[in-house]
Coordinates of all heavy atoms in Angstrom, one line a residue:
M2 N 46.9 -73.6 -6.0 CA 46.6 -72.3 -6.5 C 46.8 -71.2 -5.4 O 46.8 -70.1 -5.6 CB 45.2 -72.3 -6.9 CG 44.9 -72.9 -8.2 SD 43.4 -72.1 -8.9 CE 43.9 -72.1 -10.5
N3 N 46.8 -71.6 -4.2 CA 47.0 -70.6 -3.0 C 48.4 -70.1 -3.0 O 48.6 -69.1 -2.4 CB 46.6 -71.3 -1.7 CG 45.2 -71.7 -1.6 OD1 44.4 -71.0 -2.3 ND2 44.8 -72.5 -0.7
N4 N 49.4 -70.7 -3.6 CA 50.8 -70.1 -3.6 C 51.2 -69.2 -4.7 O 52.2 -68.7 -4.8 CB 51.7 -71.4 -3.7 CG 51.7 -72.2 -2.4 OD1 51.3 -71.7 -1.3 ND2 52.1 -73.5 -2.5
E5 N 50.1 -68.8 -5.5 CA 50.4 -67.9 -6.6 C 50.6 -66.5 -6.0 O 50.0 -66.0 -5.1 CB 49.2 -67.8 -7.5 CG 49.0 -69.0 -8.4 CD 47.9 -68.8 -9.4 OE1 47.6 -67.7 -9.8 OE2 47.2 -69.8 -9.7
K6 N 51.7 -65.9 -6.5 CA 52.1 -64.5 -6.1 C 51.7 -63.5 -7.1 O 51.9 -63.7 -8.3 CB 53.5 -64.5 -5.7 CG 53.9 -65.4 -4.6 CD 55.3 -65.3 -4.1 CE 55.6 -66.2 -3.0 NZ 56.9 -66.1 -2.4
G7 N 51.3 -62.3 -6.7 CA 50.9 -61.3 -7.5 C 50.4 -60.1 -6.7 O 50.4 -60.1 -5.5
F8 N 50.1 -59.0 -7.4 CA 49.5 -57.8 -6.8 C 48.0 -57.9 -6.7 O 47.3 -58.4 -7.7 CB 49.9 -56.6 -7.6 CG 51.4 -56.4 -7.6 CD1 52.1 -56.6 -8.8 CD2 52.1 -55.9 -6.5 CE1 53.5 -56.4 -8.8 CE2 53.4 -55.7 -6.5 CZ 54.1 -55.9 -7.7
T9 N 47.4 -57.4 -5.6 CA 46.0 -57.4 -5.5 C 45.5 -56.1 -6.2 O 46.3 -55.2 -6.6 CB 45.6 -57.3 -4.0 OG1 46.1 -56.1 -3.4 CG2 46.1 -58.5 -3.3
L10 N 44.3 -56.0 -6.4 CA 43.6 -54.9 -7.0 C 43.8 -53.6 -6.2 O 44.2 -52.6 -6.8 CB 42.1 -55.1 -7.2 CG 41.3 -54.0 -7.9 CD1 41.9 -53.8 -9.3 CD2 39.8 -54.3 -7.9
I11 N 43.8 -53.7 -4.9 CA 44.0 -52.6 -4.0 C 45.4 -52.1 -4.3 O 45.6 -50.8 -4.3 CB 43.7 -52.9 -2.5 CG1 42.3 -53.4 -2.4 CG2 44.1 -51.8 -1.7 CD1 41.3 -52.3 -2.6
E12 N 46.4 -52.9 -4.3 CA 47.8 -52.5 -4.5 C 48.1 -51.8 -5.8 O 48.7 -50.8 -5.9 CB 48.8 -53.7 -4.3 CG 48.8 -54.3 -2.9 CD 49.5 -55.6 -2.9 OE1 49.5 -56.4 -3.8 OE2 50.2 -55.9 -1.8
M13 N 47.4 -52.4 -6.8 CA 47.6 -51.7 -8.1 C 46.9 -50.4 -8.1 O 47.4 -49.4 -8.7 CB 46.9 -52.6 -9.2 CG 47.6 -53.9 -9.4 SD 49.3 -53.7 -10.0 CE 49.0 -53.2 -11.7
L14 N 45.8 -50.2 -7.5 CA 45.1 -48.9 -7.5 C 45.9 -47.9 -6.7 O 45.9 -46.7 -7.0 CB 43.7 -49.0 -6.9 CG 42.6 -49.7 -7.7 CD1 41.3 -49.9 -6.9 CD2 42.4 -49.0 -9.0
V15 N 46.5 -48.3 -5.6 CA 47.4 -47.4 -4.8 C 48.6 -46.9 -5.6 O 48.9 -45.7 -5.7 CB 47.9 -48.1 -3.5 CG1 48.9 -47.3 -2.8 CG2 46.7 -48.3 -2.5
V16 N 49.2 -47.8 -6.4 CA 50.3 -47.4 -7.2 C 49.9 -46.4 -8.3 O 50.6 -45.4 -8.6 CB 51.0 -48.7 -7.8 CG1 51.9 -48.3 -8.9 CG2 51.6 -49.5 -6.8
L17 N 48.7 -46.7 -8.9 CA 48.2 -45.8 -10.0 C 47.8 -44.5 -9.4 O 48.1 -43.5 -10.0 CB 47.0 -46.4 -10.7 CG 47.3 -47.6 -11.6 CD1 46.0 -48.2 -12.1 CD2 48.1 -47.1 -12.8
M18 N 47.3 -44.4 -8.2 CA 47.1 -43.1 -7.5 C 48.3 -42.4 -7.2 O 48.4 -41.1 -7.5 CB 46.3 -43.4 -6.2 CG 45.8 -42.1 -5.5 SD 45.0 -42.3 -4.0 CE 46.3 -42.9 -3.0
I19 N 49.3 -43.0 -6.8 CA 50.7 -42.3 -6.5 C 51.2 -41.7 -7.9 O 51.6 -40.6 -7.9 CB 51.6 -43.3 -5.8 CG1 51.1 -43.6 -4.4 CG2 53.0 -42.6 -5.8 CD1 51.9 -44.7 -3.7
I20 N 51.2 -42.6 -8.9 CA 51.7 -42.1 -10.2 C 50.9 -40.9 -10.6 O 51.4 -39.9 -11.2 CB 51.7 -43.3 -11.2 CG1 52.7 -44.3 -10.8 CG2 51.9 -42.7 -12.6 CD1 52.8 -45.5 -11.7
S21 N 49.5 -40.9 -10.5 CA 48.8 -39.8 -11.0 C 49.1 -38.5 -10.1 O 49.1 -37.4 -10.8 CB 47.2 -40.2 -10.7 OG 46.9 -41.3 -11.5
V22 N 49.2 -38.6 -8.9 CA 49.6 -37.5 -8.1 C 50.9 -36.9 -8.5 O 51.1 -35.6 -8.7 CB 49.6 -37.8 -6.6 CG1 50.2 -36.7 -5.8 CG2 48.2 -38.1 -6.1
L23 N 51.9 -37.8 -8.8 CA 53.2 -37.2 -9.2 C 53.1 -36.5 -10.6 O 53.7 -35.6 -10.8 CB 54.1 -38.4 -9.3 CG 54.7 -39.0 -8.0 CD1 55.5 -40.2 -8.2 CD2 55.4 -38.0 -7.2
L24 N 52.3 -37.1 -11.5 CA 52.1 -36.5 -12.8 C 51.3 -35.1 -12.7 O 51.7 -34.1 -13.3 CB 51.3 -37.3 -13.8 CG 52.1 -38.5 -14.2 CD1 51.1 -39.4 -15.1 CD2 53.2 -38.0 -15.2
L25 N 50.4 -35.0 -11.7 CA 49.7 -33.7 -11.5 C 50.7 -32.7 -10.9 O 50.5 -31.5 -11.2 CB 48.5 -33.9 -10.5 CG 47.3 -34.7 -11.1 CD1 46.3 -35.0 -10.0 CD2 46.7 -33.8 -12.2
I26 N 51.7 -33.1 -10.2 CA 52.7 -32.2 -9.7 C 53.7 -31.8 -10.8 O 54.0 -30.6 -10.9 CB 53.4 -32.7 -8.5 CG1 52.4 -32.8 -7.3 CG2 54.5 -31.9 -8.1 CD1 52.9 -33.6 -6.1
A27 N 54.1 -32.8 -11.5 CA 55.2 -32.5 -12.5 C 54.8 -31.8 -13.8 O 55.6 -31.0 -14.3 CB 55.8 -33.9 -12.8
V28 N 53.7 -32.1 -14.4 CA 53.3 -31.5 -15.6 C 53.2 -30.0 -15.6 O 53.8 -29.4 -16.5 CB 52.0 -32.1 -16.1 CG1 51.4 -31.4 -17.3 CG2 52.3 -33.7 -16.5
P29 N 52.6 -29.4 -14.7 CA 52.6 -27.9 -14.6 C 54.0 -27.3 -14.5 O 54.3 -26.3 -15.1 CB 51.7 -27.6 -13.4 CG 50.9 -28.7 -13.2 CD 51.7 -29.9 -13.6
N30 N 54.9 -27.9 -13.7 CA 56.2 -27.4 -13.7 C 57.0 -27.5 -15.0 O 57.7 -26.6 -15.3 CB 57.0 -28.2 -12.5 CG 56.5 -27.8 -11.2 OD1 56.0 -26.8 -11.0 ND2 56.8 -28.7 -10.2
M31 N 56.8 -28.6 -15.7 CA 57.4 -28.7 -17.0 C 56.9 -27.6 -18.0 O 57.6 -27.2 -18.8 CB 57.2 -30.1 -17.6 CG 58.0 -31.2 -16.9 SD 58.1 -32.8 -17.6 CE 56.4 -33.3 -17.2
M32 N 55.6 -27.3 -17.9 CA 55.0 -26.4 -18.8 C 55.6 -24.9 -18.6 O 55.8 -24.2 -19.5 CB 53.5 -26.3 -18.7 CG 52.8 -27.7 -19.2 SD 53.3 -28.1 -20.9 CE 52.5 -26.8 -21.8
K33 N 55.8 -24.7 -17.3 CA 56.4 -23.4 -16.9 C 57.8 -23.3 -17.5 O 58.2 -22.3 -17.9 CB 56.4 -23.3 -15.4 CG 56.9 -21.9 -14.9 CD 56.8 -21.8 -13.4 CE 58.1 -22.2 -12.8 NZ 58.1 -22.1 -11.4
N34 N 58.5 -24.4 -17.4 CA 59.9 -24.4 -17.8 C 60.0 -24.2 -19.4 O 61.0 -23.6 -19.9 CB 60.6 -25.7 -17.4 CG 60.8 -25.8 -15.9 OD1 60.9 -24.8 -15.3 ND2 61.1 -26.9 -15.4
N35 N 59.0 -24.7 -20.1 CA 59.0 -24.5 -21.5 C 58.8 -23.0 -21.9 O 59.4 -22.6 -22.8 CB 57.8 -25.3 -22.2 CG 58.2 -26.8 -22.3 OD1 59.4 -27.2 -22.1 ND2 57.2 -27.7 -22.4
D36 N 58.0 -22.4 -21.1 CA 57.8 -20.9 -21.4 C 59.0 -20.2 -21.1 O 59.4 -19.2 -21.8 CB 56.6 -20.4 -20.5 CG 55.3 -21.0 -20.9 OD1 55.2 -21.5 -22.0 OD2 54.4 -20.9 -20.0
V37 N 59.8 -20.5 -20.0 CA 61.0 -19.8 -19.7 C 62.0 -20.1 -20.8 O 62.8 -19.2 -21.2 CB 61.5 -20.3 -18.3 CG1 62.9 -19.8 -18.1 CG2 60.6 -19.8 -17.2
A38 N 62.1 -21.3 -21.2 CA 63.1 -21.7 -22.3 C 62.8 -21.0 -23.6 O 63.6 -20.5 -24.3 CB 63.1 -23.2 -22.5
A39 N 61.5 -20.9 -23.9 CA 61.2 -20.1 -25.2 C 61.6 -18.6 -25.1 O 62.1 -18.1 -26.0 CB 59.7 -20.3 -25.4
S40 N 61.3 -18.0 -23.9 CA 61.7 -16.6 -23.8 C 63.2 -16.4 -23.8 O 63.7 -15.5 -24.4 CB 61.1 -16.0 -22.5 OG 61.7 -16.5 -21.3
K41 N 63.9 -17.3 -23.2 CA 65.4 -17.2 -23.2 C 65.9 -17.4 -24.6 O 66.9 -16.9 -25.1 CB 66.0 -18.3 -22.2 CG 65.8 -18.0 -20.8 CD 66.4 -16.8 -20.4 CE 66.1 -16.5 -18.9 NZ 66.6 -15.2 -18.4
G42 N 65.2 -18.3 -25.4 CA 65.6 -18.6 -26.8 C 65.4 -17.3 -27.6 O 66.3 -17.1 -28.5
C43 N 64.4 -16.6 -27.4 CA 64.1 -15.4 -28.1 C 65.2 -14.3 -27.7 O 65.6 -13.6 -28.6 CB 62.7 -14.9 -27.9 SG 62.1 -13.7 -29.1
E44 N 65.5 -14.2 -26.5 CA 66.5 -13.3 -26.0 C 67.9 -13.6 -26.7 O 68.6 -12.7 -27.2 CB 66.7 -13.3 -24.5 CG 65.5 -12.7 -23.8 CD 65.7 -12.8 -22.3 OE1 66.9 -13.1 -21.8 OE2 64.8 -12.8 -21.6
A45 N 68.2 -14.9 -26.8 CA 69.4 -15.3 -27.4 C 69.4 -15.0 -28.9 O 70.4 -14.6 -29.5 CB 69.7 -16.8 -27.2
T46 N 68.2 -15.1 -29.6 CA 68.1 -14.7 -31.0 C 68.3 -13.3 -31.2 O 69.1 -12.9 -32.2 CB 66.8 -15.3 -31.6 OG1 66.6 -16.6 -31.3 CG2 66.6 -14.9 -33.0
V47 N 67.8 -12.5 -30.3 CA 68.0 -11.0 -30.4 C 69.5 -10.7 -30.3 O 70.0 -9.9 -31.0 CB 67.1 -10.3 -29.4 CG1 67.5 -8.8 -29.3 CG2 65.7 -10.4 -29.7
K48 N 70.1 -11.2 -29.3 CA 71.6 -11.0 -29.2 C 72.4 -11.4 -30.3 O 73.4 -10.8 -30.8 CB 72.1 -11.7 -27.8 CG 71.6 -11.0 -26.5 CD 72.2 -11.6 -25.4 CE 71.6 -11.0 -24.2 NZ 72.2 -9.9 -23.6
L49 N 72.1 -12.6 -31.0 CA 72.7 -13.1 -32.2 C 72.5 -12.1 -33.3 O 73.5 -11.7 -34.0 CB 72.2 -14.4 -32.6 CG 72.7 -14.9 -34.0 CD1 74.1 -15.3 -33.9 CD2 71.8 -16.0 -34.5
L50 N 71.3 -11.6 -33.5 CA 71.0 -10.6 -34.5 C 71.7 -9.3 -34.3 O 72.2 -8.6 -35.2 CB 69.5 -10.4 -34.6 CG 68.7 -11.5 -35.3 CD1 67.2 -11.3 -35.2 CD2 69.1 -11.7 -36.7
Q51 N 71.8 -8.9 -33.0 CA 72.5 -7.7 -32.7 C 74.0 -7.8 -33.1 O 74.6 -6.8 -33.8 CB 72.5 -7.4 -31.2 CG 71.2 -6.9 -30.7 CD 71.1 -6.8 -29.2 OE1 72.0 -7.3 -28.5 NE2 70.0 -6.2 -28.7
S52 N 74.6 -8.9 -32.8 CA 76.1 -9.1 -33.3 C 76.2 -9.2 -34.8 O 77.1 -8.6 -35.3 CB 76.7 -10.4 -32.6 OG 76.1 -11.5 -33.1
Q53 N 75.2 -9.7 -35.4 CA 75.3 -9.8 -36.9 C 75.0 -8.5 -37.6 O 75.5 -8.2 -38.6 CB 74.3 -10.9 -37.4 CG 74.7 -12.3 -37.1 CD 76.1 -12.6 -37.4 OE1 76.6 -12.3 -38.5 NE2 76.9 -13.3 -36.6
V54 N 74.2 -7.6 -36.9 CA 74.0 -6.3 -37.4 C 75.3 -5.5 -37.4 O 75.7 -4.8 -38.3 CB 72.9 -5.6 -36.6 CG1 72.9 -4.0 -36.9 CG2 71.5 -6.1 -37.0
H55 N 76.0 -5.7 -36.2 CA 77.3 -5.0 -36.1 C 78.3 -5.6 -37.1 O 79.1 -4.8 -37.8 CB 77.9 -5.2 -34.7 CG 77.1 -4.4 -33.7 ND1 77.0 -3.1 -33.7 CD2 76.5 -4.9 -32.6 CE1 76.3 -2.7 -32.7 NE2 75.9 -3.7 -32.0
A56 N 78.3 -6.9 -37.4 CA 79.1 -7.5 -38.4 C 78.9 -7.0 -39.8 O 79.7 -6.6 -40.6 CB 79.1 -9.0 -38.4
Y57 N 77.6 -6.8 -40.1 CA 77.1 -6.3 -41.4 C 77.6 -4.9 -41.5 O 78.1 -4.4 -42.6 CB 75.6 -6.3 -41.5 CG 75.1 -5.7 -42.7 CD1 75.0 -6.4 -43.9 CD2 74.7 -4.3 -42.8 CE1 74.5 -5.7 -45.1 CE2 74.2 -3.7 -43.8 CZ 74.1 -4.5 -45.0 OH 73.7 -3.9 -46.2
N58 N 77.5 -4.0 -40.5 CA 77.8 -2.7 -40.5 C 79.4 -2.5 -40.7 O 79.9 -1.6 -41.4 CB 77.5 -1.9 -39.3 CG 76.0 -1.7 -39.3 OD1 75.2 -1.7 -40.3 ND2 75.4 -1.6 -38.0
L59 N 80.2 -3.5 -40.2 CA 81.6 -3.4 -40.3 C 82.0 -3.8 -41.8 O 82.9 -3.2 -42.3 CB 82.3 -4.4 -39.4 CG 82.3 -3.9 -37.9 CD1 82.9 -5.1 -37.0 CD2 83.2 -2.7 -37.7
E60 N 81.3 -4.8 -42.3 CA 81.6 -5.1 -43.7 C 81.1 -4.2 -44.7 O 81.5 -4.2 -45.9 CB 81.1 -6.6 -44.0 CG 81.9 -7.6 -43.3 CD 81.5 -9.0 -43.8 OE1 80.8 -9.2 -44.8 OE2 81.9 -10.0 -43.1
N61 N 80.0 -3.5 -44.5 CA 79.3 -2.7 -45.5 C 79.0 -1.3 -44.8 O 77.9 -0.9 -44.6 CB 77.9 -3.3 -45.9 CG 78.0 -4.7 -46.4 OD1 78.7 -4.9 -47.4 ND2 77.5 -5.6 -45.6
P62 N 80.1 -0.5 -44.6 CA 79.9 0.8 -44.0 C 79.1 1.8 -44.8 O 78.5 2.7 -44.2 CB 81.4 1.3 -43.7 CG 82.2 0.5 -44.6 CD 81.5 -0.8 -44.9
K63 N 79.1 1.6 -46.1 CA 78.5 2.6 -46.9 C 77.0 2.2 -47.3 O 76.2 3.0 -47.8 CB 79.2 2.7 -48.3 CG 80.5 3.4 -48.1 CD 81.3 3.5 -49.4 CE 82.7 4.1 -49.1 NZ 83.4 4.2 -50.3
E64 N 76.6 1.0 -46.9 CA 75.2 0.5 -47.1 C 74.5 0.3 -45.7 O 74.7 -0.6 -45.0 CB 75.2 -0.9 -47.7 CG 75.3 -1.0 -49.2 CD 75.2 -2.4 -49.6 OE1 74.2 -3.1 -49.4 OE2 76.1 -2.8 -50.3
P65 N 73.7 1.3 -45.3 CA 73.0 1.1 -44.0 C 72.0 0.0 -44.1 O 71.4 -0.2 -45.1 CB 72.4 2.5 -43.8 CG 72.3 3.2 -45.1 CD 73.4 2.6 -45.9
L66 N 71.9 -0.7 -42.9 CA 70.9 -1.8 -42.9 C 69.6 -1.2 -42.7 O 69.4 -0.5 -41.7 CB 71.4 -2.7 -41.7 CG 70.5 -4.0 -41.5 CD1 70.8 -4.9 -42.7 CD2 70.9 -4.7 -40.3
T67 N 68.6 -1.5 -43.6 CA 67.3 -0.9 -43.4 C 66.2 -2.0 -43.0 O 65.2 -1.6 -42.4 CB 66.8 -0.3 -44.8 OG1 66.9 -1.3 -45.8 CG2 67.6 0.9 -45.1
K68 N 66.6 -3.3 -43.2 CA 65.6 -4.3 -42.8 C 66.4 -5.6 -42.4 O 67.6 -5.8 -43.1 CB 64.6 -4.6 -43.8 CG 65.1 -5.0 -45.2 CD 64.0 -5.2 -46.2 CE 64.7 -5.6 -47.5 NZ 63.7 -6.1 -48.4
L69 N 66.0 -6.4 -41.6 CA 66.7 -7.6 -41.1 C 66.8 -8.7 -42.2 O 67.6 -9.5 -42.2 CB 66.1 -8.2 -39.8 CG 66.4 -7.5 -38.6 CD1 65.6 -8.2 -37.4 CD2 67.8 -7.3 -38.3
N70 N 65.8 -8.6 -43.2 CA 65.9 -9.6 -44.2 C 67.2 -9.6 -45.0 O 67.6 -10.6 -45.6 CB 64.7 -9.5 -45.2 CG 63.4 -10.0 -44.6 OD1 63.4 -10.7 -43.7 ND2 62.3 -9.4 -45.0
T71 N 67.8 -8.4 -45.0 CA 69.1 -8.2 -45.7 C 70.1 -9.2 -45.1 O 71.0 -9.7 -45.9 CB 69.6 -6.8 -45.6 OG1 68.5 -5.9 -46.1 CG2 70.9 -6.5 -46.4
L72 N 70.1 -9.4 -43.8 CA 71.0 -10.2 -43.1 C 70.9 -11.7 -43.6 O 71.9 -12.5 -43.8 CB 70.9 -10.3 -41.6 CG 71.1 -9.0 -40.9 CD1 70.9 -9.1 -39.4 CD2 72.6 -8.6 -41.1
V73 N 69.6 -12.1 -43.9 CA 69.4 -13.4 -44.4 C 69.9 -13.6 -45.8 O 70.6 -14.5 -46.2 CB 67.9 -13.8 -44.3 CG1 67.6 -15.2 -45.0 CG2 67.4 -13.8 -42.9
E74 N 69.6 -12.6 -46.6 CA 69.9 -12.5 -48.1 C 71.5 -12.5 -48.3 O 71.9 -13.2 -49.1 CB 69.3 -11.3 -48.7 CG 67.8 -11.2 -48.8 CD 67.3 -9.9 -49.2 OE1 68.1 -9.0 -49.4 OE2 66.0 -9.8 -49.1
K75 N 72.2 -11.9 -47.4 CA 73.6 -11.8 -47.5 C 74.4 -12.9 -46.8 O 75.6 -13.0 -46.7 CB 74.1 -10.5 -47.0 CG 73.5 -9.3 -47.9 CD 74.6 -8.3 -48.2 CE 74.1 -7.3 -49.2 NZ 75.0 -6.3 -49.6
G76 N 73.6 -13.8 -46.1 CA 74.2 -15.0 -45.5 C 74.7 -14.7 -44.0 O 75.5 -15.5 -43.6
F77 N 74.3 -13.7 -43.4 CA 74.7 -13.5 -42.0 C 74.1 -14.3 -41.0 O 74.6 -14.8 -40.0 CB 74.6 -12.0 -41.7 CG 75.6 -11.1 -42.2 CD1 75.4 -10.5 -43.5 CD2 76.8 -10.8 -41.6 CE1 76.4 -9.7 -44.0 CE2 77.8 -10.0 -42.1 CZ 77.5 -9.5 -43.4
V78 N 72.7 -14.6 -41.3 CA 71.9 -15.5 -40.4 C 71.1 -16.3 -41.3 O 70.8 -16.0 -42.5 CB 71.1 -14.7 -39.4 CG1 72.0 -13.9 -38.4 CG2 70.2 -13.7 -40.1
D79 N 70.6 -17.4 -40.7 CA 69.7 -18.3 -41.5 C 68.2 -17.9 -41.3 O 67.4 -18.0 -42.1 CB 69.8 -19.7 -40.9 CG 71.1 -20.4 -41.2 OD1 71.8 -20.0 -42.2 OD2 71.6 -21.2 -40.5
S80 N 67.9 -17.3 -40.1 CA 66.5 -17.0 -39.9 C 66.5 -15.7 -39.0 O 67.4 -15.5 -38.1 CB 65.8 -18.2 -39.2 OG 64.5 -17.8 -38.7
I81 N 65.4 -15.0 -39.1 CA 65.3 -13.8 -38.2 C 64.0 -14.0 -37.3 O 63.4 -13.0 -36.8 CB 65.1 -12.5 -39.0 CG1 64.0 -12.5 -39.9 CG2 66.5 -12.2 -39.6 CD1 63.7 -11.3 -40.7
A82 N 63.7 -15.2 -37.0 CA 62.5 -15.6 -36.2 C 62.9 -16.1 -34.9 O 64.0 -16.9 -34.8 CB 61.6 -16.5 -36.9
C83 N 62.1 -15.9 -33.9 CA 62.4 -16.5 -32.5 C 61.9 -18.0 -32.6 O 61.3 -18.4 -33.6 CB 61.5 -15.8 -31.5 SG 62.1 -14.2 -31.0
A84 N 62.2 -18.7 -31.5 CA 61.9 -20.2 -31.5 C 60.4 -20.4 -31.5 O 59.9 -21.4 -31.9 CB 62.5 -20.8 -30.2
D85 N 59.6 -19.4 -31.0 CA 58.2 -19.5 -31.0 C 57.5 -19.1 -32.4 O 56.3 -19.1 -32.5 CB 57.5 -18.6 -29.9 CG 57.8 -17.2 -30.0 OD1 58.5 -16.7 -30.9 OD2 57.5 -16.4 -29.1
G86 N 58.3 -18.7 -33.3 CA 57.8 -18.4 -34.7 C 57.6 -16.9 -34.9 O 57.3 -16.5 -36.0
N87 N 57.7 -16.1 -33.9 CA 57.6 -14.6 -34.1 C 58.7 -14.1 -34.9 O 59.9 -14.2 -34.4 CB 57.4 -13.9 -32.8 CG 56.1 -14.3 -32.1 OD1 55.2 -14.7 -32.8 ND2 56.1 -14.2 -30.8
E88 N 58.5 -13.3 -36.0 CA 59.5 -12.7 -36.7 C 60.0 -11.4 -36.0 O 59.1 -10.7 -35.5 CB 59.0 -12.3 -38.1 CG 58.8 -13.5 -39.0 CD 59.9 -13.6 -40.1 OE1 60.5 -12.6 -40.3 OE2 60.1 -14.7 -40.6
L89 N 61.2 -11.2 -35.9 CA 61.8 -10.0 -35.3 C 62.0 -8.9 -36.4 O 62.2 -9.2 -37.6 CB 63.1 -10.3 -34.6 CG 63.1 -11.3 -33.4 CD1 64.5 -11.7 -33.1 CD2 62.4 -10.6 -32.3
T90 N 61.9 -7.6 -35.9 CA 62.1 -6.5 -36.8 C 63.4 -5.8 -36.5 O 63.9 -6.1 -35.3 CB 60.9 -5.5 -36.7 OG1 60.9 -5.0 -35.5 CG2 59.6 -6.2 -37.0
L91 N 63.8 -5.0 -37.3 CA 65.1 -4.2 -37.0 C 64.8 -3.3 -35.8 O 65.8 -3.2 -35.0 CB 65.4 -3.3 -38.2 CG 66.8 -2.6 -38.1 CD1 67.9 -3.6 -38.0 CD2 66.9 -1.8 -39.4
E92 N 63.7 -2.8 -35.6 CA 63.4 -2.0 -34.4 C 63.6 -2.8 -33.2 O 64.0 -2.3 -32.1 CB 62.0 -1.4 -34.5 CG 61.8 -0.3 -35.6 CD 61.6 -0.9 -36.9 OE1 61.1 -2.0 -37.1 OE2 62.1 -0.2 -37.9
D93 N 63.0 -4.1 -33.1 CA 63.2 -5.0 -32.0 C 64.6 -5.1 -31.6 O 65.1 -5.0 -30.5 CB 62.7 -6.3 -32.3 CG 61.1 -6.4 -32.4 OD1 60.5 -5.5 -31.9 OD2 60.7 -7.3 -33.1
V94 N 65.5 -5.2 -32.6 CA 66.9 -5.5 -32.4 C 67.7 -4.2 -32.0 O 68.4 -4.2 -31.0 CB 67.6 -6.1 -33.6 CG1 69.1 -6.3 -33.4 CG2 67.0 -7.5 -33.9
T95 N 67.3 -3.1 -32.6 CA 68.1 -1.9 -32.3 C 67.6 -1.3 -31.0 O 68.3 -0.6 -30.3 CB 67.9 -0.8 -33.4 OG1 66.6 -0.7 -33.8 CG2 68.7 -1.4 -34.6
N96 N 66.3 -1.4 -30.7 CA 65.8 -0.9 -29.4 C 66.5 -1.6 -28.2 O 66.7 -1.1 -27.2 CB 64.3 -1.0 -29.3 CG 63.5 -0.1 -30.2 OD1 64.1 0.9 -30.6 ND2 62.3 -0.4 -30.5
Q97 N 66.7 -2.9 -28.4 CA 67.3 -3.7 -27.3 C 68.8 -3.3 -27.2 O 69.3 -3.3 -26.1 CB 67.2 -5.2 -27.6 CG 65.8 -5.7 -27.6 CD 65.6 -6.8 -26.6 OE1 66.5 -7.3 -26.0 NE2 64.3 -7.1 -26.4
T98 N 69.4 -2.9 -28.3 CA 70.8 -2.5 -28.3 C 71.0 -1.2 -27.5 O 71.8 -1.0 -26.7 CB 71.4 -2.4 -29.7 OG1 71.1 -3.6 -30.3 CG2 72.8 -2.0 -29.6
S99 N 70.0 -0.3 -27.8 CA 70.1 1.1 -27.2 C 69.7 1.1 -25.7 O 70.2 1.9 -25.1 CB 69.3 2.0 -28.0 OG 67.9 1.7 -27.9
S100 N 69.0 0.1 -25.3 CA 68.6 0.1 -23.9 C 69.6 -0.5 -23.0 O 69.5 -0.4 -21.7 CB 67.2 -0.6 -23.7 OG 67.4 -2.0 -24.0
E101 N 70.7 -1.2 -23.5 CA 71.7 -1.8 -22.7 C 72.8 -0.9 -22.3 O 73.1 0.0 -22.9 CB 72.2 -3.0 -23.5 CG 71.3 -4.1 -23.6 CD 71.8 -5.3 -24.3 OE1 73.1 -5.4 -24.5 OE2 71.1 -6.1 -24.7

């Protein structure tokens, strides 16, 4: 029985402590990256909607676009919401266009 090989309780506790410290460092960084990704996703959605508004205006010069839901109804886009679920308005899209 003296020749049995294995880890002692102290060795296992040291390994668990190291893993815990690494998780404490890694988890907050991943949460910050999720927020950045969500904001970049919303910016990308706004740019997509801006291009689809221009496409709509080219195809329908006599029908001014009054609400973004028209883009969904006519098949220009599938959704007018950001990745976080916030619905965009026409003012959100046109204000971003005029500020560039």
